Amino acid sequence: AAEQAAQQTAQAKAVAEQAAAEQAAAETAAAEQAAQLVMVPPVWGGDVSVAIATLDSLGLPYVISTYGDNRYPNGYVSNVEPAPGTLVPRGTTVTLTVVQNETDKPRGPGAD
């Protein structure tokens, strides 16, 4: 009977250790997932080169969408998607909307 009790105790201990190991693994996985989240930085309102460097440092790839707007200089970042402050997984592509005005217009007599 003592041997049977010892076996049951050993089995209970093994089950408890297994459960603890699974709990630790789940906590580690949750921590790793949380560590993979980064906040989209507020890179609008400045130069695209600064925005790119900031996104690169956070592991966020980017695409650039351009439009003309003579109220702002070329390279001005007017919008960021996902919105700044959003938590996203590292590796999420961020879209930068950047001013690109036409500067190479032909100039001829009376162009002014």
Side-chain angles (χ1 to χ4, degrees), residues 105-112:
K105 289 185 179 176
R107 296 184 58 85
D112 290 70

Side-chain angles (χ1 to χ4, degrees), residues 91-110:
T92 297
T93 299
V94 175
T95 299
L96 300 174
T97 304
V98 179
V99 172
Q100 181 62 54
N101 295 311
E102 291 183 32
T103 56
D104 298 328
K105 289 185 179 176
R107 296 184 58 85

